[in-house]
Amino acid sequence: MKKSIFILAALLAATFANAQITLEHTITVPLDEYHISFPNLDGHESTGFNLIGDIMEFRSRTSGEMSILDLHTYSTTVLPKIANGEIWYIAKNYFTLDNRICFIVWTSNESLSETDNHEHLYLYDQNGVLIQDLGSGRWCNCGLFPLINGQYMFYLGRSHMNGTTDIELYSLPGNGEATDVDEVSVPQRNIARKYINNDQVLIDSNERTYTIQGQEVK
């Protein structure tokens, strides 16, 4: 029984750790023909970065080091620097379910400026581990927008050399709340059960039977 519980916990932990944003729908439109609006959109074009998940960001003016403060635990996490990367979004428990802070990184390669591989987006965690490669485009942009059920969706705009733009809509594995594997409910073996047998009150507990006075029944 204990072995199966450990296996279940391990499987759940693996599920949470490997949860990814999932492409739900793609709309292809002619490049620059449409202006697209999102509800309460936090666009990357705004000043600074965008953060969701009850966190604050501090950045050193001299070194550029970025530290994230958890507003529940007040612990601080220093984000790793990604070579030639620019951070657009920082979130906790939206891109994963296990309390990791994750962030979107934008990169570009000017030698590929006339190709569909000019710009690229990645998703990293607080340890600098690549969580998901979000692919490339001649130009890329992205954002997060809220739904009325409290969830957020992620959009990615990917423009191509053929004169079109793909608007990709993704669901996110989290909604800002952590899911702890340790909180998984597991039936306990030592739950007592009281019942009457031949006018005598008996108690079953941990595979043994006792009388109401505490004497074990053989």
Side-chain angles (χ1 to χ4, degrees):
M1 179 68 176
K2 290 183 178 179
K3 183 177 180 180
S4 62
I5 292 173
F6 291 145
I7 292 175
L8 175 61
L11 289 173
L12 289 172
T15 298
F16 299 148
N18 295 323
Q20 293 187 317
I21 65 173
T22 303
L23 178 63
E24 301 290 348
H25 189 68
T26 300
I27 303 170
T28 300
V29 297
L31 182 65
D32 294 332
E33 183 173 330
Y34 292 90
H35 174 76
I36 301 172
S37 298
F38 297 88
N40 301 317
L41 175 64
D42 293 324
H44 79 271
E45 297 86 356
S46 62
T47 304
F49 340 105
N50 295 275
L51 300 93
I52 58 172
D54 294 342
I55 53 179
M56 290 180 64
E57 179 270 333
F58 298 90
R59 179 174 51 167
S60 169
R61 294 183 182 274
T62 55
S63 67
E65 180 180 85
M66 297 173 57
S67 300
I68 304 300
L69 175 68
D70 188 307
L71 297 179
H72 294 286
T73 65
Y74 300 110
S75 60
T76 301
T77 300
V78 177
L79 294 186
K81 292 183 178 180
I82 306 300
N84 303 315
E86 179 180 310
I87 293 179
W88 279 0
Y89 280 92
I90 307 171
K92 179 183 177 184
N93 291 326
Y94 282 88
F95 293 119
T96 64
L97 295 168
D98 55 5
N99 281 322
R100 276 181 295 172
I101 295 169
C102 297
F103 52 97
I104 299 293
V105 171
W106 170 89
T107 66
S108 68
N109 187 335
E110 289 307 312
S111 66
L112 301 174
S113 61
E114 297 303 316
T115 74
D116 280 351
N117 295 311
H118 177 213
E119 299 183 352
H120 207 112
L121 293 178
Y122 302 92
L123 176 64
Y124 284 90
D125 75 1
Q126 63 194 48
N127 300 311
V129 176
L130 178 64
I131 300 299
Q132 197 164 343
D133 186 331
L134 299 174
S136 61
R138 187 183 185 189
W139 298 296
C140 293
N141 61 73
C142 64
L144 291 156
F145 59 95
L147 304 178
I148 60 174
N149 63 2
Q151 298 279 346
Y152 269 74
M153 289 197 78
F154 177 78
Y155 87 89
L156 195 162
R158 197 188 310 274
S159 298
H160 303 287
M161 289 293 295
N162 65 4
T164 63
T165 296
D166 292 333
I167 303 297
E168 300 171 357
L169 302 177
Y170 294 81
S171 60
L172 300 176
N175 63 355
E177 297 179 359
T179 303
D180 192 341
V181 174
D182 294 336
E183 296 177 357
V184 175
S185 177
V186 178
Q188 302 296 315
R189 298 180 61 185
N190 60 348
I191 297 176
R193 181 176 68 91
K194 184 186 296 184
Y195 63 97
I196 297 177
N197 183 36
N198 294 330
D199 297 326
Q200 184 180 20
V201 177
L202 300 178
I203 301 173
D204 283 345
S205 178
N206 199 24
E207 299 181 348
R208 295 176 183 269
T209 302
Y210 303 88
T211 65
I212 194 67
Q213 290 80 23
Q215 183 178 359
E216 183 178 352
V217 177
K218 303 296 183 181

